[in-house]
């Protein structure tokens, strides 16, 4: 193969993978901007399947990134499976152009198959070749910091140690899957905690509002009680005045009743001499 053509094709493949990552991020941002914030409302939203498909594509991209890009950044190879890039583009364009897409496992069946085959083939067939291309002294020095010892003692033992170190350094697919599951579980737990925190904040705000309403009611009731006390004091004062006026009237009427009796007695006393004179004249 022409070396110039080989370099151009490698560059195109590497740029294609980076571009498809950026395109996926753009599509995911657009869908998330239209989804509601609550998790319960997202499930019944019309874009729920779009979000599920994009989340599954994100997982595939992260797996591909961890599998290939370490060696791509070291200039040992390029992003080899170009068909995977084409399939990711197909899925993303399907999601953008379809209002009611199919279920995620139906849309992503081909992408999962070819990406899994590409990663398995890369780990089994190509990674051992790339590890042989790496200088043993540099690798040993980066991993354990004992480059002179391994370089001074060449042979099968040094090669075996180097391969063991490589196997420890590069995670297997099972470990990657476990890490992805842990990340998902942590993300789910974090989402649940955020939801609980938001609910608690809403409850606290409601309780604060209730307390403010109760304080307002207490203030109003205190004002009403003060007004009632003032009215009671006014009524007591008026009642006292009425009672005093009634007592005064009763004393005046008693004195008026006694004056006619005295007048009658005085009249009777004046009439007595007259009667005695009459009796004498008769005699």
């Amino acid at each position: 193969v022409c070396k110039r053509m080989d370099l151009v094709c490698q560059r195109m493949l590497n740029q294609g993978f980076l571009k498809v990552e950026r395109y996926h991020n753009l599509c995911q941002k657009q869908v998330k901007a239209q989804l509601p914030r609550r998790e319960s409302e997202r499930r019944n939203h019309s874009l729920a399947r779009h979000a599920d498909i994009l989340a599954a594509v994100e997982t595939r991209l992260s797996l591909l990134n961890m599998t290939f890009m370490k060696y791509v950044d070291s200039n040992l190879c390029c992003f080899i499976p170009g068909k995977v890039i084409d399939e990711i583009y197909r899925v993303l364009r399907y999601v953008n152009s379809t209002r009611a897409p199919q279920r995620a496992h139906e849309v992503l069946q081909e992408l999962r198959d070819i990406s899994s085959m590409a990663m398995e083939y890369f780990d089994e067939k190509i990674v051992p070749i790339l590890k042989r291309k790496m200088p043993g002294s540099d690798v040993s020095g980066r991993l354990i910091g004992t480059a002179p010892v391994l370089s001074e003692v060449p042979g099968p033992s040094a090669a075996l140690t180097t391969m063991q170190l490589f196997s420890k350094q590069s995670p297997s697919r099972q470990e990657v899957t476990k890490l992805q599951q842990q990340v998902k579980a942590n993300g789910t737990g974090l989402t649940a905690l955020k939801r609980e925190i938001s609910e608690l904040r809403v409850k606290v705000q409601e309780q604060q509002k209730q307390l403010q309403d109760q304080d307002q009611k207490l203030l109003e009731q205190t004002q009403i009680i003060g007004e009632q006390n003032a009215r009671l004091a006014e009524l007591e004062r008026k009642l006292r005045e009425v009672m005093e006026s009634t007592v005064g009237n009763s004393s005046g009427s008693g004195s008026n009743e006694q004056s006619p009796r005295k007048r009658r007695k005085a009249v009777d006393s004046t009439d007595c001499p007259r009667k005695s004179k009459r009796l004498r004249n008769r005699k």
Side-chain angles (χ1 to χ4, degrees), residues 243-262:
M243 290 176 67
E244 290 176 355
S245 63
T246 53
V247 169
N249 293 329
S250 63
S251 61
S253 63
S255 60
N256 293 329
E257 288 177 355
Q258 290 177 359
S259 57
R261 291 178 183 177
K262 291 180 180 179

Side-chain angles (χ1 to χ4, degrees), residues 76-128:
L76 294 174
C77 69
C78 65
F79 186 82
I80 299 171
K83 188 176 181 179
V84 175
I85 299 174
D86 297 336
E87 183 63 22
I88 294 172
Y89 269 119
R90 185 193 70 80
V91 173
L92 295 177
R93 288 165 183 159
Y94 172 77
V95 171
N96 286 335
S97 61
T98 306
R99 293 184 179 179
Q102 298 177 355
R103 295 180 180 178
H105 69 275
E106 297 176 358
V107 178
L108 299 171
Q109 186 66 41
E110 182 68 16
L111 177 59
R112 287 173 179 170
D113 291 341
I114 62 176
S115 61
S116 299
M117 289 189 294
M119 288 187 287
E120 289 176 0
Y121 183 81
F122 185 76
D123 289 333
E124 294 175 1
K125 303 294 182 181
I126 300 175
V127 169

Side-chain angles (χ1 to χ4, degrees), residues 38-170:
R38 292 190 177 183
E39 189 71 21
S40 59
E41 295 179 358
R42 289 185 180 182
R43 296 173 184 174
N44 299 325
H45 199 266
S46 60
L47 296 176
R49 289 189 178 181
H50 298 74
D52 294 339
I53 294 171
L54 292 174
V57 172
E58 184 180 8
T59 304
R60 285 283 128 183
L61 287 171
S62 61
L63 290 173
L64 291 168
N65 196 344
M66 287 187 290
T67 303
F68 289 94
M69 297 310 290
K70 179 175 64 175
Y71 301 98
V72 173
D73 295 336
S74 300
N75 293 324
L76 294 174
C77 69
C78 65
F79 186 82
I80 299 171
K83 188 176 181 179
V84 175
I85 299 174
D86 297 336
E87 183 63 22
I88 294 172
Y89 269 119
R90 185 193 70 80
V91 173
L92 295 177
R93 288 165 183 159
Y94 172 77
V95 171
N96 286 335
S97 61
T98 306
R99 293 184 179 179
Q102 298 177 355
R103 295 180 180 178
H105 69 275
E106 297 176 358
V107 178
L108 299 171
Q109 186 66 41
E110 182 68 16
L111 177 59
R112 287 173 179 170
D113 291 341
I114 62 176
S115 61
S116 299
M117 289 189 294
M119 288 187 287
E120 289 176 0
Y121 183 81
F122 185 76
D123 289 333
E124 294 175 1
K125 303 294 182 181
I126 300 175
V127 169
I129 300 173
L130 297 179
K131 288 178 179 179
R132 293 194 200 103
K133 291 182 180 180
M134 289 183 176
S137 59
D138 295 340
V139 174
S140 61
R142 282 198 303 272
L143 295 177
I144 59 175
T146 56
V149 175
L150 290 177
S151 60
E152 290 175 0
V153 187
S157 62
L160 180 61
T161 304
T162 304
M163 293 300 294
Q164 290 176 354
L165 292 173
F166 268 119
S167 63
K168 292 179 181 179
Q169 182 69 17
S170 60

Side-chain angles (χ1 to χ4, degrees), residues 144-199:
I144 59 175
T146 56
V149 175
L150 290 177
S151 60
E152 290 175 0
V153 187
S157 62
L160 180 61
T161 304
T162 304
M163 293 300 294
Q164 290 176 354
L165 292 173
F166 268 119
S167 63
K168 292 179 181 179
Q169 182 69 17
S170 60
S172 62
R173 290 200 62 220
Q174 294 179 354
E175 294 176 354
V176 170
T177 306
K178 289 180 180 179
L179 289 174
Q180 289 292 326
Q181 291 176 356
Q182 290 178 0
V183 170
K184 287 183 179 179
N186 293 332
T188 305
L190 184 61
T191 305
L193 288 174
K194 288 181 178 179
R195 184 171 60 253
E196 290 179 359
I197 290 170
S198 62
E199 292 177 356

